[in-house]
Amino acid sequence: MGSSPAPAPRRSAPEAVVEKVDGGLAELIPDRDRPHGWTLLLDGAPQSHVDLLDPARLDFAYQRRLGHVIDLIAPAKQPLKVLHLGGGAFTMARYVAATRPRSTQQVVEIDVPLAQLVRKHLPLDPGARIRVRGTDAREGLGKLPDGWADLVVADVFSGARTPAHLTSTEFLDDVRRVLTPGGHYAANLADGPPLAHLRGQIATAAAVFPELALAADPAVLRGKRFGNAVLLGSAQPLPVAEWTRRVATDPHPGRVEHGRGLADFTGGARPVTDASAQPSPLPPSSVFK
């Protein structure tokens, strides 16, 4: 009788990567449920999740809401020109590249060591047209020509807060300058009770974009807890009905406000200017536990 074949060697599980970057302590944590999934944390705060084998899979609720925007603003597979303000693990840039091949994308990320860490351990598809610039988001925005982008995605956090200079009408005026006439602006915002920052950001966007919609967890919109909201703006009518349906049927269902409902939610808040701008509020420590 022949001897039994030797068992195949077990693949070792990927290990976490921890490095100091400009924005704090960056951790790349392997996903125990998905062999090619990773979560990026900065100073313990979850920033991004990416699946290298399936970049069209979005795990975080706010990223799914941004993904729906990317799906709905143009016919399927049509290439887009996209500007990402804030890089993280490049989750949304990877999503655009996977779902809309031949898209041209620029990522502006001020934290160069973070971008280098992500590119080293979670490399981008070399065939994707993604250019990464290491500079401040507003400075990078200012260098783009008029009417360049079909979509601008703002997802910028420093120490878990959106910097003040990225919250003003002057900033959004420059966003609109960079957009095509039918282009869209999508921002990941974070706030908690009493929602003064979120309401101010809606009022600020309303001063620049005639069409607005907001997607968030109902508990966040009721001021019951701290969380993310995705604000969508354009000069053209928005795909509100389909965005509402998709957000409502997500694994973590959300609600979309638009029109009169959004105006009522804003509650008379005033637009923010460079002179009055403040960073978004610091999340309570309990959010990340």
Side-chain angles (χ1 to χ4, degrees):
M1 178 180 286
S3 59
S4 300
R10 295 182 61 184
R11 290 182 61 187
S12 58
E15 296 183 357
V17 179
V18 182
E19 284 190 20
K20 186 74 174 176
V21 297
D22 290 346
L25 189 67
E27 300 173 80
L28 293 175
I29 307 298
D31 188 331
R32 289 180 293 180
D33 298 322
R34 301 184 69 85
H36 300 274
W38 293 83
T39 299
L40 168 65
L41 289 81
L42 276 176
D43 285 338
Q47 297 289 323
S48 306
H49 181 278
V50 64
D51 189 324
L52 296 179
L53 200 62
D54 183 10
R57 182 183 185 273
L58 300 175
D59 193 62
F60 288 5
Y62 88 85
Q63 291 179 332
R64 289 186 62 83
R65 289 160 193 162
L66 288 171
H68 298 323
V69 168
I70 292 164
D71 292 345
L72 294 172
I73 61 171
K77 297 188 182 296
Q78 177 178 308
L80 297 175
K81 286 187 174 180
V82 185
L83 172 64
H84 302 267
L85 302 178
F90 309 129
T91 303
M92 301 318 301
R94 298 175 201 265
Y95 182 84
V96 172
T99 60
R100 296 183 176 276
R102 305 185 312 282
S103 291
T104 300
Q105 302 186 76
Q106 290 205 27
V107 179
V108 179
E109 173 57 63
I110 193 172
D111 195 331
V112 174
L114 174 62
Q116 292 173 337
L117 174 70
V118 170
R119 297 188 76 168
K120 177 181 178 182
H121 295 280
L122 311 178
L124 291 166
D125 179 354
R129 301 176 181 177
I130 301 173
R131 182 176 182 180
V132 182
R133 293 177 175 269
T135 189
D136 172 76
R138 192 155 165 183
E139 182 179 336
L141 174 70
K143 291 181 178 178
L144 282 174
D146 295 3
W148 182 86
D150 300 302
L151 173 65
V152 174
V153 178
D155 187 9
V156 185
F157 288 87
S158 175
R161 306 175 77 180
T162 301
H165 68 297
L166 305 179
T167 67
S168 67
T169 51
E170 290 91 339
F171 164 66
L172 288 184
D173 282 338
D174 212 21
V175 168
R176 183 154 183 189
R177 175 192 64 79
V178 166
L179 286 172
T180 63
H184 292 74
Y185 169 69
N188 176 33
L189 307 173
D191 199 8
L195 299 177
H197 173 74
L198 182 58
R199 292 187 170 100
Q201 287 304 284
I202 298 167
T204 304
V208 177
F209 295 104
E211 299 288 337
L212 288 179
L214 182 79
D217 185 299
V220 173
L221 293 175
R222 291 196 299 268
K224 298 295 185 182
R225 67 173 182 84
F226 195 99
N228 295 82
V230 172
L231 181 62
L232 178 61
S234 180
Q236 303 297 322
L238 301 173
V240 174
E242 182 60 17
W243 198 37
T244 300
R245 187 190 70 79
R246 294 192 184 198
V247 168
T249 55
D250 269 338
H252 299 285
R255 193 172 88 220
V256 171
E257 292 289 356
H258 175 256
R260 178 61 183 270
L262 186 58
D264 290 345
F265 175 81
T266 308
R270 302 296 299 271
V272 175
T273 66
D274 279 344
S276 63
Q278 299 288 329
S280 65
L282 192 66
S285 59
S286 58
V287 167
F288 307 123
K289 292 181 180 178

